[in-house]
Amino acid sequence: MDVTFSSVQCLHWMASKFGVKQLMEDAGRLFSKVIPEDNSFHTQVSLYEYAEETGDLVLQENCCQYLAWNFKTLTTSPAWTSISVELLAALLTRSDVIVPDEYFLLQVVESWITEKGKSISLETQVDLLNRIRFPMIPAEKLYELESKSSLYSTHKNMYRENMLKAYQFNVLLFSNLSNPNFNKNDDDYQPRIYTMKPWSTTIDHSKKTSSFPVRNRYHNSGFSDYNRGVYYAPAVVTFSTPVHSSLIFKNNNINWEANVFMTNNECSARGLQL
């Protein structure tokens, strides 16, 4: 049967209502082809809300993961200001959110709350802001919060508490943090996927790296010639990061090498397997 987006949602909805789990799963898998197609993000956001309504946890996770991986673009999309508190809260709990850094995340959440105005209660605002991982914010950015944060004066105690935790993380070793409430496995001390330097690099695997001669033999004339061919070597980028994000280890770097292999042979040459 031919299935369109509207018909697959209809099938999925009926399957959820009548408890036909196999049909619900089959229809749900088709949504994965639709999720990346809407640049406005309205479809992804509405599908997440629909997945909540029908109790489809797999579809809910797929939508949430896509939004997390495209979070920065989501914040500039038409759908950003219309997302629900529940969806934003769900995104803020994830470690696979891809953002420039944690300070960027704080800024866009503050802007979202400010845009919503009085429709968001103070308790809800605090709940969302507490999901920011303040210890992942660089010390110099923490220092600016009091003067630059649009919500600092409204939630002064919350900010001060989180900033104190962040400063302690930046200047003390884990072994020195004797606070009984401290747990190094808490989400606050886990990084997300940050794209700003020094935590990431960019690879352009399409660049020409060298050239080599290719022999072309013209049999009719008995003439041989060499043409220049282009060789695309594996893209390699080296960069370094601190061994840890706290200020103590700012000057203790570890070196990394990022590669893009285009063929199985390139992988094998480095002792890797697909």
Side-chain angles (χ1 to χ4, degrees):
M1 61 184 295
D2 292 328
V3 180
T4 63
F5 173 64
S6 56
S7 63
V8 73
Q9 188 163 355
C10 181
L11 286 170
H12 184 276
W13 182 83
M14 288 191 296
S16 70
K17 290 299 180 184
F18 291 101
V20 187
K21 291 186 178 180
Q22 186 61 55
L23 177 59
M24 187 175 175
E25 291 175 3
D26 291 342
R29 277 193 288 270
L30 295 175
F31 282 121
S32 62
K33 298 183 180 297
V34 178
I35 289 175
E37 293 181 355
D38 184 5
N39 292 331
S40 73
F41 285 88
H42 284 305
T43 298
Q44 296 89 335
V45 170
S46 64
L47 271 180
Y48 176 85
E49 294 169 351
Y50 168 77
E52 278 192 313
E53 178 186 340
T54 57
D56 189 330
L57 298 180
V58 174
L59 177 59
Q60 188 176 333
E61 168 60 19
N62 288 342
C63 292
C64 203
Q65 184 184 74
Y66 181 86
L67 294 171
W69 288 0
N70 295 274
F71 190 86
K72 185 179 179 181
T73 308
L74 170 65
T75 63
T76 59
S77 73
W80 170 242
T81 54
S82 65
I83 68 173
S84 65
V85 169
E86 293 75 18
L87 175 53
L88 181 56
L91 289 169
L92 292 177
T93 62
R94 300 178 68 101
S95 292
D96 62 346
V97 173
I98 301 178
V99 285
D101 59 12
E102 196 73 19
Y103 186 65
F104 168 87
L105 191 57
L106 172 60
Q107 287 179 308
V108 295
V109 170
E110 286 183 336
S111 298
W112 186 89
I113 291 173
T114 302
E115 180 77 18
K116 291 292 186 180
K118 294 182 179 180
S119 65
I120 303 296
S121 69
L122 293 179
E123 291 79 7
T124 300
Q125 292 180 26
V126 169
D127 178 66
L128 291 173
L129 291 168
N130 270 325
R131 295 171 190 257
I132 298 297
R133 301 178 181 182
F134 282 83
M136 295 296 107
I137 299 176
E140 59 270 20
K141 295 294 184 181
L142 290 170
Y143 183 75
E144 297 174 358
L145 279 180
E146 185 172 357
S147 60
K148 293 190 176 181
S149 168
S150 58
L151 296 175
Y152 182 89
S153 58
T154 305
H155 304 292
K156 189 176 294 185
N157 290 337
M158 185 279 301
Y159 275 93
R160 285 180 173 175
E161 181 179 340
N162 280 293
M163 288 167 65
L164 175 60
K165 181 194 296 184
Y167 280 129
Q168 289 174 335
F169 173 81
N170 270 280
V171 299
L172 295 174
L173 295 171
F174 276 139
S175 57
N176 292 24
L177 291 170
S178 57
N179 188 324
N181 296 320
F182 171 77
N183 181 355
K184 66 180 180 180
N185 295 317
D186 284 349
D187 285 345
D188 279 349
Y189 303 105
Q190 309 305 315
R192 304 184 202 267
I193 303 176
Y194 302 127
T195 60
M196 284 189 69
K197 291 184 179 301
W199 303 110
S200 70
T201 190
T202 301
I203 299 178
D204 183 358
H205 69 268
S206 65
K207 286 184 178 179
K208 305 171 185 178
T209 56
S210 61
S211 60
F212 64 94
V214 177
R215 174 173 290 183
N216 288 326
R217 187 177 299 278
Y218 298 89
H219 296 285
N220 291 338
S221 63
F223 174 73
S224 297
D225 194 10
Y226 287 93
N227 287 343
R228 302 300 292 181
V230 177
Y231 171 61
Y232 292 86
V236 180
V237 174
T238 58
F239 64 107
S240 63
T241 68
V243 297
H244 198 271
S245 56
S246 69
L247 196 60
I248 302 174
F249 300 104
K250 184 176 182 180
N251 296 320
N252 294 53
N253 290 334
I254 183 171
N255 295 321
W256 301 88
E257 180 180 284
N259 297 275
V260 175
F261 299 117
M262 306 301 292
T263 67
N264 288 339
N265 288 339
E266 292 172 1
C267 292
S268 301
R270 295 297 297 270
L272 303 173
Q273 292 181 342
L274 291 177

